[in-house]
Amino acid sequence: MSLLRQASNVSHELSHSILQHQPDEVFNKCGCRNFNQEYEDEANWLGPALLISEEAALHIVKTPMTIDEAVEYYRASKEVINMRINVTGARKRISFRWRAS
């Protein structure tokens, strides 16, 4: 497993703790894996934010930093970086600031 994938996994699991998610039994009475979709959705949202903050997403966009350079600098995957740039609206926000000045 790559170090970037490990960072994503750790931030995801840390998110469960930060969000105070209570652990469920691993398996239900039928032997199927228990899976709390709400908990997973919340951790999938917070985990990437722990790796790439809103400020970091804005920084990546407003500097001449490439996505590959951002991967090296922030030690997060391209997918996480692009997701955070998109959900923060960083490109639109920086573009708007540039046009407004």
Side-chain angles (χ1 to χ4, degrees):
M1 181 181 305
S2 78
L3 292 177
L4 302 181
R5 181 71 248 161
Q6 288 177 9
S8 289
N9 288 349
V10 169
S11 67
H12 175 90
E13 297 307 325
L14 184 58
S15 295
H16 285 298
S17 179
I18 291 168
L19 295 165
Q20 299 180 350
H21 291 163
Q22 297 302 310
D24 291 329
E25 291 293 325
V26 177
F27 299 103
N28 65 19
K29 293 176 186 174
C30 299
C32 296
R33 178 89 163 80
N34 275 328
F35 185 80
N36 185 319
Q37 187 63 54
E38 183 178 354
Y39 282 4
E40 292 306 312
D41 290 345
E42 289 176 348
N44 286 339
W45 190 257
L46 180 58
L50 296 176
L51 295 174
I52 303 294
S53 66
E54 181 176 0
E55 293 81 9
L58 290 166
H59 174 76
I60 292 165
V61 171
K62 72 180 174 182
T63 64
M65 184 181 293
T66 67
I67 296 298
D68 287 335
E69 290 169 335
V71 166
E72 289 299 315
Y73 186 80
Y74 289 103
R75 305 303 300 155
S77 69
K78 288 181 183 182
E79 294 80 11
V80 165
I81 292 169
N82 282 315
M83 178 253 200
R84 292 295 298 157
I85 287 170
N86 291 335
V87 300
T88 61
R91 285 188 181 94
K92 288 182 181 180
R93 292 166 64 187
I94 296 301
S95 176
F96 177 77
R97 286 182 190 164
W98 181 79
R99 286 190 312 242
S101 57

XYZ file of all heavy atoms in Angstrom:
818
model
N 0.844 -1.177 0.000
C 0.000 0.000 0.000
C 0.893 1.244 0.000
O 1.866 1.319 0.734
C -0.901 -0.009 1.238
C -1.825 1.176 1.307
S -2.879 1.222 2.772
C -3.689 -0.328 2.706
N 0.551 2.217 -0.824
C 1.380 3.413 -0.934
C 1.244 4.289 0.309
O 0.248 4.223 1.041
C 0.980 4.213 -2.169
O -0.208 4.948 -1.923
N 2.232 5.124 0.532
C 2.190 6.045 1.670
C 1.030 7.029 1.551
O 0.430 7.409 2.566
C 3.516 6.794 1.788
C 4.714 5.949 2.195
C 5.980 6.792 2.196
C 4.492 5.294 3.546
N 0.689 7.428 0.329
C -0.426 8.357 0.142
C -1.750 7.686 0.493
O -2.635 8.298 1.093
C -0.448 8.894 -1.286
C 0.818 9.618 -1.759
C 0.638 10.121 -3.180
C 1.185 10.742 -0.821
N -1.893 6.425 0.115
C -3.095 5.658 0.458
C -3.172 5.462 1.969
O -4.232 5.555 2.570
C -3.063 4.304 -0.265
C -4.257 3.409 -0.019
C -5.501 3.939 -0.698
N -6.420 4.366 0.331
C -7.437 5.182 0.160
N -7.699 5.705 -1.003
N -8.202 5.517 1.145
N -2.028 5.212 2.590
C -1.994 5.060 4.044
C -2.426 6.341 4.730
O -3.182 6.295 5.717
C -0.599 4.659 4.511
C -0.227 3.239 4.182
C 1.191 2.901 4.605
O 1.859 3.662 5.297
N 1.668 1.736 4.181
N -1.978 7.490 4.220
C -2.375 8.775 4.807
C -3.885 8.958 4.704
O -4.532 9.420 5.656
C -1.645 9.922 4.107
N -4.459 8.593 3.574
C -5.915 8.692 3.400
C -6.644 7.762 4.362
O -7.650 8.153 4.969
C -6.313 8.371 1.957
O -5.908 9.393 1.097
N -6.147 6.543 4.502
C -6.772 5.592 5.414
C -6.711 6.077 6.864
O -7.701 6.006 7.593
C -6.106 4.219 5.316
C -6.424 3.503 4.030
O -7.295 3.916 3.269
N -5.700 2.433 3.756
N -5.552 6.578 7.261
C -5.396 7.068 8.633
C -6.308 8.277 8.878
O -6.978 8.349 9.915
C -3.922 7.411 8.935
C -3.782 8.172 10.246
C -3.084 6.133 8.972
N -6.366 9.209 7.938
C -7.224 10.386 8.127
C -8.696 9.984 8.168
O -9.484 10.564 8.915
C -6.964 11.453 7.058
O -7.368 11.012 5.783
N -9.077 8.973 7.401
C -10.447 8.468 7.425
C -10.770 7.884 8.803
O -11.804 8.217 9.402
C -10.640 7.411 6.337
C -11.982 6.757 6.360
N -13.049 7.246 5.659
C -12.424 5.660 7.017
C -14.101 6.473 5.878
N -13.744 5.503 6.704
N -9.889 7.031 9.296
C -10.127 6.412 10.602
C -10.063 7.437 11.726
O -10.857 7.380 12.677
C -9.144 5.261 10.838
C -9.287 4.112 9.857
C -10.703 3.551 9.749
O -11.429 3.515 10.766
O -11.090 3.133 8.637
N -9.161 8.397 11.627
C -9.089 9.475 12.618
C -10.383 10.288 12.618
O -10.859 10.720 13.676
C -7.884 10.370 12.322
C -7.592 11.494 13.301
C -7.369 10.959 14.698
C -6.365 12.266 12.835
N -10.968 10.459 11.447
C -12.238 11.182 11.333
C -13.331 10.510 12.155
O -14.141 11.195 12.798
C -12.685 11.273 9.874
O -11.789 12.047 9.136
N -13.367 9.182 12.136
C -14.362 8.471 12.946
C -14.204 8.851 14.423
O -15.196 9.082 15.123
C -14.216 6.953 12.795
C -14.730 6.409 11.507
N -16.048 6.501 11.120
C -14.088 5.735 10.515
C -16.205 5.905 9.951
N -15.030 5.442 9.550
N -12.970 8.935 14.881
C -12.716 9.289 16.278
C -13.097 10.742 16.561
O -13.770 11.033 17.547
C -11.240 9.056 16.601
O -10.978 9.410 17.939
N -12.695 11.643 15.693
C -13.024 13.065 15.867
C -14.528 13.265 15.905
O -15.046 14.067 16.698
C -12.384 13.902 14.736
C -10.862 13.918 14.887
C -12.959 15.320 14.705
C -10.134 14.466 13.681
N -15.230 12.546 15.050
C -16.693 12.658 14.963
C -17.405 11.853 16.054
O -18.638 11.855 16.114
C -17.163 12.210 13.576
C -16.698 13.097 12.427
C -16.879 12.396 11.091
C -17.433 14.435 12.452
N -16.632 11.199 16.895
C -17.136 10.408 18.020
C -18.126 9.326 17.571
O -19.144 9.081 18.217
C -17.760 11.318 19.081
C -16.766 12.281 19.649
C -17.340 13.203 20.713
O -18.537 13.270 20.926
N -16.453 13.908 21.390
N -17.787 8.690 16.458
C -18.602 7.571 15.993
C -18.407 6.388 16.926
O -17.274 6.017 17.221
C -18.203 7.169 14.566
C -18.564 8.179 13.551
N -17.999 8.180 12.293
C -19.434 9.218 13.565
C -18.506 9.171 11.585
N -19.373 9.825 12.345
N -19.497 5.828 17.357
C -19.437 4.658 18.230
C -19.288 3.407 17.369
O -20.017 3.245 16.388
C -20.698 4.568 19.093
C -20.856 5.752 20.031
C -19.663 5.925 20.964
O -19.233 4.976 21.609
N -19.111 7.131 21.003
N -18.364 2.533 17.728
C -18.180 1.323 16.916
C -19.381 0.393 17.022
O -20.021 0.297 18.063
C -16.928 0.681 17.500
C -16.761 1.281 18.849
C -17.443 2.610 18.845
N -19.698 -0.242 15.922
C -20.753 -1.248 15.871
C -20.118 -2.630 15.999
O -18.904 -2.785 15.847
C -21.493 -1.183 14.525
C -22.326 0.083 14.374
O -22.811 0.586 15.396
O -22.483 0.539 13.223
N -20.945 -3.617 16.236
C -20.475 -4.998 16.145
C -19.985 -5.209 14.717
O -20.575 -4.691 13.776
C -21.611 -5.962 16.454
C -22.066 -5.939 17.901
C -21.007 -6.469 18.857
O -20.272 -7.403 18.487
O -20.916 -5.919 19.966
N -18.915 -5.943 14.568
C -18.327 -6.139 13.245
C -19.288 -6.902 12.337
O -19.458 -6.549 11.169
C -16.971 -6.866 13.350
C -16.399 -7.143 11.961
C -15.999 -6.042 14.180
N -19.956 -7.918 12.883
C -20.870 -8.735 12.074
C -22.254 -8.762 12.724
O -22.376 -8.729 13.942
C -20.346 -10.168 11.935
C -19.014 -10.247 11.259
C -17.853 -10.457 11.980
C -18.911 -10.093 9.881
C -16.622 -10.513 11.355
C -17.688 -10.148 9.238
C -16.536 -10.361 9.981
N -23.286 -8.828 11.888
C -24.644 -8.937 12.416
C -24.974 -10.406 12.709
O -24.129 -11.286 12.546
C -25.667 -8.290 11.466
C -25.776 -8.997 10.132
O -25.376 -10.148 9.979
N -26.328 -8.302 9.149
N -26.197 -10.675 13.121
C -26.599 -12.045 13.506
C -26.485 -13.044 12.361
O -26.322 -14.237 12.576
C -28.028 -12.023 14.040
C -28.159 -11.276 15.339
C -29.602 -11.204 15.778
C -29.698 -10.323 17.008
N -31.070 -10.092 17.418
N -26.590 -12.545 11.134
C -26.500 -13.426 9.958
C -25.061 -13.638 9.495
O -24.812 -14.349 8.536
C -27.326 -12.840 8.806
S -29.069 -12.671 9.179
N -24.124 -12.998 10.159
C -22.727 -13.131 9.778
C -22.270 -12.140 8.727
O -21.151 -12.216 8.235
N -23.154 -11.184 8.374
C -22.796 -10.159 7.390
C -22.122 -8.983 8.093
O -22.404 -8.692 9.250
C -24.037 -9.666 6.649
S -24.828 -10.940 5.661
N -21.250 -8.318 7.391
C -20.515 -7.164 7.922
C -21.480 -6.021 8.180
O -22.267 -5.646 7.329
C -19.446 -6.750 6.900
C -18.632 -5.537 7.272
C -17.405 -5.960 8.079
N -16.403 -4.928 8.141
C -16.461 -3.894 8.974
N -17.462 -3.735 9.776
N -15.482 -3.008 8.993
N -21.427 -5.451 9.395
C -22.187 -4.237 9.698
C -21.499 -3.051 9.046
O -20.273 -2.954 9.049
C -22.263 -4.004 11.213
C -23.384 -4.759 11.867
O -24.432 -4.976 11.262
N -23.164 -5.174 13.104
N -22.291 -2.157 8.519
C -21.744 -1.002 7.800
C -22.685 0.169 8.008
O -23.838 0.124 7.592
C -21.636 -1.360 6.306
C -20.987 -0.307 5.470
C -19.607 -0.186 5.435
C -21.750 0.566 4.720
C -19.008 0.785 4.653
C -21.154 1.534 3.930
C -19.774 1.643 3.902
N -22.217 1.200 8.700
C -23.032 2.382 8.952
C -22.720 3.410 7.862
O -21.687 4.088 7.916
C -22.740 2.940 10.344
C -23.638 4.090 10.713
O -23.929 4.958 9.901
N -24.071 4.109 11.965
N -23.587 3.525 6.871
C -23.335 4.403 5.724
C -23.181 5.862 6.145
O -22.345 6.582 5.607
C -24.458 4.266 4.689
C -24.173 5.010 3.392
C -22.948 4.474 2.667
O -22.862 3.282 2.406
N -21.988 5.323 2.351
N -23.974 6.301 7.114
C -23.879 7.696 7.576
C -22.495 7.971 8.172
O -21.874 8.993 7.857
C -24.958 7.986 8.615
C -24.961 9.438 9.079
C -26.066 9.741 10.075
O -26.923 8.877 10.341
O -26.058 10.860 10.597
N -21.992 7.068 8.994
C -20.660 7.229 9.571
C -19.586 7.252 8.478
O -18.663 8.067 8.515
C -20.340 6.079 10.533
C -20.965 6.156 11.901
C -21.855 7.172 12.258
C -20.679 5.190 12.851
C -22.422 7.216 13.515
C -21.237 5.229 14.123
C -22.113 6.245 14.447
O -22.657 6.280 15.697
N -19.714 6.352 7.525
C -18.727 6.291 6.450
C -18.758 7.557 5.589
O -17.709 8.080 5.217
C -18.924 5.039 5.596
C -18.610 3.752 6.331
C -17.213 3.738 6.944
O -16.234 4.083 6.246
O -17.104 3.384 8.134
N -19.954 8.046 5.283
C -20.072 9.283 4.497
C -19.418 10.457 5.224
O -18.714 11.267 4.620
C -21.535 9.604 4.196
C -22.165 8.642 3.206
O -21.430 7.894 2.525
O -23.417 8.635 3.118
N -19.657 10.553 6.529
C -19.065 11.641 7.310
C -17.541 11.539 7.332
O -16.845 12.544 7.151
C -19.614 11.624 8.734
C -21.066 12.044 8.834
C -21.638 11.925 10.234
O -20.993 11.309 11.115
O -22.743 12.450 10.450
N -17.024 10.348 7.528
C -15.568 10.156 7.552
C -14.960 10.379 6.165
O -13.848 10.903 6.052
C -15.223 8.763 8.070
N -15.705 10.012 5.115
C -15.220 10.259 3.748
C -15.176 11.737 3.430
O -14.446 12.161 2.526
C -16.106 9.533 2.731
C -15.881 8.042 2.723
O -14.839 7.554 3.157
N -16.867 7.303 2.252
N -15.945 12.540 4.122
C -15.928 13.987 3.911
C -14.835 14.656 4.743
O -14.088 15.495 4.253
C -17.306 14.567 4.267
C -17.470 15.979 3.857
C -17.408 17.079 4.661
C -17.697 16.482 2.536
N -17.591 18.218 3.924
C -17.775 17.873 2.626
C -17.841 15.863 1.299
C -17.994 18.672 1.512
C -18.059 16.667 0.194
C -18.134 18.046 0.312
N -14.735 14.269 6.017
C -13.756 14.897 6.909
C -12.330 14.433 6.634
O -11.400 15.242 6.710
C -14.128 14.640 8.374
C -13.196 15.236 9.424
C -13.077 16.759 9.270
C -13.670 14.876 10.827
N -12.138 13.169 6.317
C -10.786 12.642 6.108
C -9.953 13.460 5.134
O -8.850 13.902 5.479
N -10.448 13.714 3.918
C -9.683 14.539 2.984
C -9.455 15.971 3.482
O -8.422 16.566 3.209
C -10.546 14.526 1.718
C -11.304 13.240 1.807
C -11.605 13.071 3.273
N -10.410 16.513 4.245
C -10.249 17.872 4.774
C -9.119 17.935 5.796
O -8.487 18.983 5.955
C -11.558 18.353 5.396
N -8.863 16.831 6.474
C -7.734 16.794 7.400
C -6.406 16.812 6.655
O -5.408 17.330 7.169
C -7.809 15.540 8.288
C -9.007 15.446 9.217
C -8.995 14.107 9.953
C -9.038 16.605 10.207
N -6.388 16.270 5.457
C -5.160 16.236 4.661
C -4.938 17.519 3.868
O -3.804 17.997 3.754
C -5.204 15.046 3.695
C -5.201 13.667 4.334
C -5.408 12.592 3.276
C -3.911 13.419 5.089
N -6.017 18.068 3.288
C -5.935 19.279 2.470
C -6.989 20.258 2.987
O -8.174 20.114 2.694
C -6.165 18.994 0.968
C -5.171 17.958 0.450
C -6.106 20.280 0.148
C -3.716 18.420 0.451
N -6.548 21.228 3.752
C -7.474 22.216 4.301
C -7.991 23.134 3.190
O -7.475 23.137 2.065
C -6.769 23.065 5.363
O -5.753 23.856 4.742
N -8.980 23.913 3.520
C -9.483 24.910 2.568
C -8.361 25.867 2.171
O -8.205 26.209 0.994
C -10.636 25.681 3.212
C -11.253 26.727 2.325
C -12.446 27.403 2.980
O -12.800 27.059 4.121
O -13.023 28.297 2.332
N -7.583 26.281 3.149
C -6.463 27.191 2.872
C -5.437 26.543 1.947
O -4.893 27.201 1.061
C -5.797 27.625 4.191
C -6.665 28.491 5.058
C -7.696 27.715 5.891
O -7.646 26.458 5.930
O -8.573 28.367 6.474
N -5.176 25.261 2.154
C -4.226 24.553 1.290
C -4.762 24.461 -0.129
O -4.014 24.670 -1.095
C -3.933 23.158 1.841
N -6.047 24.173 -0.280
C -6.645 24.098 -1.618
C -6.534 25.439 -2.328
O -6.178 25.499 -3.515
C -8.109 23.671 -1.520
N -6.796 26.516 -1.622
C -6.667 27.854 -2.212
C -5.211 28.143 -2.573
O -4.929 28.705 -3.637
C -7.205 28.918 -1.257
C -8.717 28.913 -1.057
C -9.105 29.769 0.144
C -9.435 29.382 -2.313
N -4.291 27.747 -1.708
C -2.862 27.963 -1.961
C -2.414 27.231 -3.229
O -1.682 27.805 -4.048
C -2.043 27.493 -0.759
C -0.573 27.529 -0.970
N 0.155 28.696 -0.942
C 0.314 26.539 -1.243
C 1.422 28.428 -1.183
N 1.542 27.117 -1.372
N -2.850 26.000 -3.374
C -2.472 25.210 -4.555
C -2.920 25.917 -5.825
O -2.176 25.999 -6.805
C -3.071 23.790 -4.476
C -2.420 23.005 -3.338
C -2.920 23.049 -5.808
C -3.176 21.743 -2.937
N -4.132 26.452 -5.812
C -4.699 27.071 -7.012
C -4.079 28.439 -7.294
O -3.842 28.783 -8.451
C -6.238 27.178 -6.879
C -6.839 27.995 -8.001
C -6.847 25.784 -6.865
N -3.801 29.215 -6.257
C -3.332 30.589 -6.517
C -1.829 30.691 -6.771
O -1.340 31.733 -7.181
C -3.757 31.530 -5.403
C -3.052 31.391 -4.098
C -3.605 32.398 -3.100
C -3.016 32.180 -1.734
N -3.573 33.099 -0.750
N -1.106 29.595 -6.561
C 0.320 29.589 -6.864
C 0.536 28.812 -8.167
O -0.365 28.127 -8.631
C 1.121 28.921 -5.731
O 0.742 27.556 -5.636
C 0.908 29.630 -4.404
N 1.727 28.875 -8.716
C 1.985 28.099 -9.937
C 2.219 26.610 -9.659
O 2.714 25.890 -10.512
C 3.226 28.772 -10.530
C 3.899 29.431 -9.389
C 2.817 29.805 -8.416
N 1.844 26.140 -8.469
C 2.037 24.746 -8.088
C 1.172 23.827 -8.961
O -0.017 24.070 -9.127
C 1.647 24.574 -6.609
C 1.877 23.203 -6.045
S 1.370 23.066 -4.294
C 2.556 24.139 -3.505
N 1.776 22.794 -9.511
C 1.007 21.791 -10.265
C 0.401 20.794 -9.277
O 0.814 20.737 -8.107
C 1.905 21.032 -11.262
O 2.848 20.248 -10.508
C 2.628 21.976 -12.215
N -0.520 19.985 -9.751
C -1.101 18.950 -8.900
C -0.021 17.966 -8.462
O 0.023 17.559 -7.304
C -2.275 18.234 -9.604
C -3.423 19.211 -9.873
C -2.760 17.043 -8.781
C -4.047 19.837 -8.648
N 0.879 17.606 -9.363
C 1.970 16.699 -8.999
C 2.861 17.310 -7.914
O 3.309 16.608 -7.006
C 2.805 16.327 -10.221
C 2.090 15.361 -11.151
O 1.207 14.616 -10.668
O 2.403 15.351 -12.352
N 3.128 18.599 -8.013
C 3.922 19.278 -6.975
C 3.147 19.322 -5.655
O 3.736 19.173 -4.579
C 4.296 20.688 -7.422
C 5.313 20.706 -8.541
C 5.497 22.074 -9.181
O 4.572 22.914 -9.136
O 6.590 22.301 -9.742
N 1.833 19.511 -5.727
C 0.999 19.517 -4.523
C 1.013 18.147 -3.848
O 1.022 18.053 -2.618
C -0.419 19.948 -4.860
N 1.008 17.088 -4.659
C 1.092 15.730 -4.116
C 2.370 15.586 -3.289
O 2.342 15.077 -2.166
C 1.055 14.672 -5.251
C 1.485 13.303 -4.757
C -0.331 14.617 -5.871
N 3.478 16.041 -3.831
C 4.758 15.948 -3.126
C 4.781 16.845 -1.882
O 5.262 16.436 -0.827
C 5.914 16.317 -4.065
C 6.193 15.293 -5.130
C 6.582 13.945 -4.545
O 7.406 13.889 -3.619
O 6.035 12.928 -5.025
N 4.267 18.045 -2.007
C 4.316 19.016 -0.905
C 3.397 18.605 0.251
O 3.802 18.628 1.408
C 3.937 20.401 -1.417
C 4.091 21.487 -0.392
C 5.343 22.027 -0.113
C 2.988 21.980 0.303
C 5.486 23.019 0.833
C 3.123 22.972 1.247
C 4.372 23.491 1.516
O 4.523 24.472 2.461
N 2.168 18.238 -0.064
C 1.179 17.923 0.966
C 1.095 16.432 1.300
O 0.424 16.069 2.260
C -0.202 18.431 0.547
C -0.296 19.933 0.587
C -0.244 20.679 -0.582
C -0.418 20.614 1.784
C -0.323 22.061 -0.550
C -0.497 21.996 1.831
C -0.450 22.722 0.658
O -0.525 24.092 0.696
N 1.760 15.590 0.510
C 1.771 14.142 0.734
C 0.353 13.568 0.755
O -0.015 12.764 1.609
C 2.531 13.785 2.016
C 3.950 14.324 2.089
C 4.850 13.927 0.965
N 5.000 12.468 0.891
C 5.321 11.816 -0.210
N 5.548 12.463 -1.319
N 5.419 10.520 -0.201
N -0.463 14.025 -0.185
C -1.825 13.529 -0.367
C -1.968 13.115 -1.828
O -1.252 13.609 -2.694
C -2.835 14.605 -0.013
N -2.899 12.238 -2.100
C -3.078 11.736 -3.466
C -3.687 12.806 -4.377
O -4.309 13.766 -3.906
C -3.978 10.503 -3.463
O -5.307 10.873 -3.129
N -3.510 12.607 -5.673
C -4.116 13.512 -6.654
C -5.629 13.568 -6.475
O -6.230 14.635 -6.593
C -3.805 13.053 -8.085
C -2.392 13.263 -8.513
C -2.199 12.799 -9.955
C -0.759 12.941 -10.367
N -0.540 12.559 -11.765
N -6.220 12.411 -6.198
C -7.675 12.344 -6.035
C -8.128 13.197 -4.853
O -9.112 13.938 -4.964
C -8.138 10.889 -5.848
C -7.937 10.015 -7.063
C -6.511 9.486 -7.247
O -5.675 9.607 -6.316
O -6.225 8.966 -8.341
N -7.418 13.113 -3.747
C -7.775 13.904 -2.562
C -7.581 15.389 -2.854
O -8.435 16.214 -2.523
C -6.961 13.464 -1.327
C -7.048 14.478 -0.198
C -7.422 12.095 -0.848
N -6.482 15.740 -3.472
C -6.212 17.151 -3.775
C -7.265 17.706 -4.721
O -7.828 18.777 -4.469
C -4.788 17.326 -4.342
C -3.762 17.030 -3.238
C -4.598 18.723 -4.930
C -2.341 16.913 -3.704
N -7.552 16.985 -5.784
C -8.582 17.469 -6.727
C -9.952 17.549 -6.072
O -10.696 18.509 -6.311
C -8.629 16.582 -7.972
C -7.499 16.885 -8.918
O -7.194 18.044 -9.187
N -6.846 15.860 -9.419
N -10.284 16.578 -5.240
C -11.574 16.612 -4.543
C -11.681 17.852 -3.674
O -12.688 18.560 -3.696
C -11.739 15.345 -3.695
C -13.031 15.306 -2.893
S -12.727 15.574 -1.161
C -14.214 14.894 -0.453
N -10.626 18.143 -2.912
C -10.661 19.303 -2.011
C -10.670 20.617 -2.796
O -11.358 21.572 -2.401
C -9.486 19.253 -1.035
C -9.600 18.125 -0.035
C -10.784 18.316 0.898
N -10.601 19.529 1.669
C -11.572 20.229 2.233
N -12.824 19.851 2.128
N -11.297 21.330 2.911
N -9.957 20.698 -3.896
C -10.010 21.903 -4.741
C -11.433 22.096 -5.252
O -11.967 23.204 -5.234
C -8.994 21.807 -5.899
C -7.569 21.987 -5.356
C -9.295 22.834 -6.988
C -6.475 21.688 -6.360
N -12.062 21.002 -5.664
C -13.428 21.089 -6.198
C -14.449 21.450 -5.128
O -15.274 22.336 -5.334
C -13.815 19.785 -6.888
C -13.035 19.562 -8.169
O -12.554 20.502 -8.792
N -12.901 18.319 -8.562
N -14.422 20.767 -3.987
C -15.459 21.016 -2.980
C -15.308 22.362 -2.290
O -16.286 22.904 -1.784
C -15.579 19.882 -1.933
C -15.923 18.563 -2.580
C -14.357 19.784 -1.059
N -14.111 22.908 -2.274
C -13.924 24.242 -1.690
C -14.203 25.352 -2.702
O -14.259 26.516 -2.321
C -12.489 24.427 -1.149
O -11.561 24.277 -2.228
C -12.175 23.444 -0.034
N -14.364 24.974 -3.967
C -14.571 25.980 -5.003
C -13.343 26.844 -5.209
O -13.452 28.000 -5.631
N -12.162 26.305 -4.916
C -10.926 27.089 -4.932
C -10.668 27.751 -6.285
O -10.311 28.932 -6.338
C -9.738 26.216 -4.531
N -10.857 27.026 -7.374
C -10.576 27.610 -8.696
C -11.504 28.795 -8.981
O -11.060 29.836 -9.451
C -10.709 26.556 -9.788
C -9.557 25.589 -9.826
C -9.606 24.662 -11.042
N -8.502 23.750 -11.020
C -8.550 22.522 -10.511
N -9.676 22.049 -10.002
N -7.484 21.750 -10.525
N -12.779 28.632 -8.700
C -13.734 29.722 -8.933
C -13.448 30.900 -8.020
O -13.527 32.055 -8.448
C -15.170 29.236 -8.721
C -15.656 28.317 -9.803
C -17.093 27.907 -9.559
C -17.545 26.950 -10.651
N -18.926 26.530 -10.463
N -13.122 30.615 -6.765
C -12.862 31.687 -5.809
C -11.622 32.481 -6.195
O -11.631 33.713 -6.137
C -12.728 31.109 -4.408
C -14.061 30.567 -3.895
C -13.913 29.699 -2.692
N -13.399 30.417 -1.540
C -13.057 29.816 -0.407
N -13.182 28.513 -0.277
N -12.599 30.524 0.600
N -10.555 31.792 -6.588
C -9.323 32.487 -6.987
C -9.558 33.232 -8.291
O -9.112 34.372 -8.451
C -8.148 31.491 -7.108
C -7.825 30.880 -5.743
C -6.928 32.149 -7.737
C -7.444 31.884 -4.660
N -10.273 32.629 -9.229
C -10.582 33.288 -10.497
C -11.393 34.556 -10.253
O -11.143 35.595 -10.857
C -11.353 32.336 -11.408
O -11.735 32.994 -12.585
N -12.362 34.498 -9.352
C -13.200 35.656 -9.037
C -12.359 36.760 -8.413
O -12.479 37.920 -8.782
C -14.338 35.256 -8.086
C -15.181 36.415 -7.673
C -16.127 36.949 -8.540
C -15.031 36.985 -6.415
C -16.902 38.025 -8.171
C -15.804 38.062 -6.023
C -16.746 38.578 -6.910
N -11.486 36.411 -7.484
C -10.617 37.409 -6.842
C -9.707 38.078 -7.878
O -9.460 39.267 -7.830
C -9.775 36.771 -5.753
C -10.537 36.431 -4.523
C -9.638 35.857 -3.474
N -10.421 35.309 -2.383
C -9.963 34.479 -1.473
N -8.701 34.089 -1.527
N -10.732 34.021 -0.538
N -9.181 37.261 -8.807
C -8.274 37.791 -9.815
C -9.016 38.768 -10.731
O -8.517 39.843 -11.044
C -7.674 36.642 -10.627
C -6.710 37.103 -11.672
C -5.417 37.464 -11.481
C -6.957 37.262 -13.058
N -4.845 37.836 -12.675
C -5.777 37.721 -13.662
C -8.078 37.059 -13.856
C -5.684 37.982 -15.017
C -7.979 37.311 -15.215
C -6.786 37.779 -15.765
N -10.242 38.413 -11.149
C -11.038 39.285 -12.024
C -11.483 40.542 -11.297
O -11.586 41.601 -11.891
C -12.263 38.546 -12.546
C -11.952 37.529 -13.604
C -13.235 37.019 -14.237
N -14.230 36.658 -13.232
C -14.723 35.454 -13.070
N -14.340 34.474 -13.854
N -15.621 35.205 -12.141
N -11.738 40.442 -9.993
C -12.248 41.568 -9.217
C -11.158 42.588 -8.916
O -11.456 43.744 -8.620
C -12.867 41.078 -7.916
N -9.897 42.185 -8.991
C -8.832 43.123 -8.644
C -8.355 43.939 -9.828
O -8.728 43.874 -10.914
C -7.653 42.371 -8.029
O -7.162 41.376 -8.884
